[in-house]
Amino acid sequence: MSDDDDFMFEDEEGYDFEYEEEDGDEEAVGVETKYYNAKAQRDDPPAALREFQLVIDEDTQNERSDWGFKATKQIIKLHLKAGELDKVLERYDQMLDYVRDSVVTRNYAEKSINNMLERLTANADEQMSRDVYQRTLDVLKATQSERLWLRTSLRLAKILLAQQQYDELSALLLKLKRSCEDDNGQLIMERGTQLLEVNAVYLELYSARDQDKQLKDTYLQCEAVKSAVPHPRIMGYIRECGGKIYMGERNWAKAQSCFFDAFKNYDEAGSYQRVEILKYLVLASMLSESEVNPLSSPEAKSYENEPPIRAITDLVLAYERRDVQAFEHILSAQKSVIVNDSFVGRYVADLRRTFRMQAIEGIVRPYTRVRVATLARLLAATPAEVEELLIALILDHRLNGSIDQENGTLLLRQETTDRAQYESLEKWSAKI
């Protein structure tokens, strides 16, 4: 038997020895001894099954104890290893009976159920996985184990999401959300964290189904919850969704703020997603024309050698220098990291537009007239593209000038000095 097979039997029961036994409790000692004798025969599954069943039989004849519960778990593992899934379900129901009747402590029951669910869902088909979870939830509801019921429900929700069982998932999430509210539909303050965990799954559902309105509404509900302390990974995902929502709305500044919060939360949680989010943060920062380089923050500096971050760092440097050739070269050379990223790729056109507009401002600053064709050559763009950018800059009052379309020339009015002189005269006359 391999080490992995051995490990299958040596899981959560390392602390099951009981050191405080009453001297006269010979029956408990007998069941315990038979349990460990059975466990010692795990290299011979048929013999181990017989011995574990003897433990259960003897335990059932007396007042049931956790030894019968443990023996049932071992039988489930043996059937699971043999691929006897029908017998697994039968024995799993027997294991849940011990939980329903409070034979084992709640903490031990929670640990055992979690471990068993991981094993079962890793080896069962989709329908059986859902069946196992539903049987578990029914028992947990009956025993009023609210915390474990919530945790198990959320795990089932993840399974349904992965299986794209969206209708069943929606019904489950609605049930979970209602458990966070009082009879008037108001949030129970103590359940703010639970609501955020439920809404995080809703966000995944709406993202998968491209339901943008519901996605935005759910995100705003998350923002409104103040009495909660969720796991940083949950909060990181929520803020990531917010950043993507605002990116879609071209609200670059809000997107930048959301991505920065998401990065900090993912970093706290130790999630590798922080590297992806850092890339999105830099993108939003450039699009918002922020003067602060997010890669200069202490949190981000430790990731500057990550391949995706190295590529985006080079892009930022070209952006800050207004180096058109370097900017375009990096977009082309790092296509797999930047352009081919499904999310970043949507905004490359916006990024190029923002960069070119800033480059134009720098190029034309010393002049009173500049040919459109010259700007097109410097920006590696077409004259039509440059003219469209010039119109946008003039309308946004970032350039004070007009376009002579007949001669293909940008005419600039240098009024900055005169205006400053008028303002100085006004201030001087006000003091007289």
Side-chain angles (χ1 to χ4, degrees), residues 128-287:
M128 182 177 173
S129 296
R130 298 201 298 273
D131 188 18
V132 166
Y133 268 91
Q134 193 55 59
R135 295 179 189 212
T136 306
L137 290 173
D138 291 342
V139 170
L140 296 177
K141 197 72 172 176
T143 58
Q144 298 182 339
S145 303
E146 291 190 11
R147 186 183 69 166
L148 184 52
W149 178 83
L150 170 64
R151 300 259 68 82
T152 306
S153 296
L154 288 171
R155 290 173 66 173
L156 174 58
K158 290 286 189 179
I159 290 174
L160 294 174
L161 182 67
Q163 296 177 357
Q164 298 184 354
Q165 300 291 329
Y166 295 143
D167 292 339
E168 194 174 341
L169 173 59
S170 297
L172 175 61
L173 289 176
L174 181 60
K175 189 185 299 183
L176 284 169
K177 194 166 187 177
R178 284 176 177 169
S179 71
C180 304
E181 301 170 346
D182 59 23
D183 295 337
N184 297 319
Q186 299 298 313
L187 172 65
I188 300 172
M189 297 301 292
E190 297 79 9
R191 298 186 180 177
T193 300
Q194 176 179 330
L195 180 62
L196 286 181
E197 292 177 335
V198 174
N199 276 347
V201 184
Y202 263 120
L203 290 173
E204 290 189 77
L205 171 63
Y206 295 142
S207 295
R209 304 185 79 171
D210 296 323
Q211 294 176 293
D212 294 337
K213 183 181 183 305
Q214 293 88 335
L215 187 71
K216 176 75 177 286
D217 291 344
T218 303
Y219 175 73
L220 293 177
Q221 288 176 22
C222 292
E223 279 198 325
V225 177
K226 305 301 181 183
S227 58
V229 187
H231 190 283
R233 186 178 286 104
I234 298 293
M235 204 63 225
Y237 178 72
I238 291 172
R239 297 298 280 168
E240 176 187 348
C241 285
K244 290 180 175 180
I245 289 168
Y246 289 124
M247 286 288 283
E249 296 176 353
R250 269 50 183 180
N251 190 335
W252 313 125
K254 277 193 173 183
Q256 181 184 0
S257 175
C258 286
F259 284 140
F260 183 64
D261 286 343
F263 170 72
K264 288 193 297 183
N265 278 284
Y266 279 135
D267 193 35
E268 182 183 347
S271 170
Y272 190 74
Q273 185 65 13
R274 60 195 168 195
V275 176
E276 286 296 302
I277 294 303
L278 185 55
K279 189 164 61 174
Y280 302 161
L281 171 59
V282 173
L283 173 66
S285 178
M286 287 190 289
L287 286 169

Side-chain angles (χ1 to χ4, degrees), residues 272-319:
Y272 190 74
Q273 185 65 13
R274 60 195 168 195
V275 176
E276 286 296 302
I277 294 303
L278 185 55
K279 189 164 61 174
Y280 302 161
L281 171 59
V282 173
L283 173 66
S285 178
M286 287 190 289
L287 286 169
S288 67
E289 301 184 62
S290 172
E291 296 181 359
V292 179
N293 182 353
L295 294 174
S296 63
S297 68
E299 298 94 339
K301 271 204 168 296
S302 57
Y303 304 105
E304 60 186 1
N305 290 324
E306 294 282 347
I309 302 306
R310 282 203 302 270
I312 206 79
T313 299
D314 293 340
L315 190 67
V316 170
L317 291 174
Y319 179 89

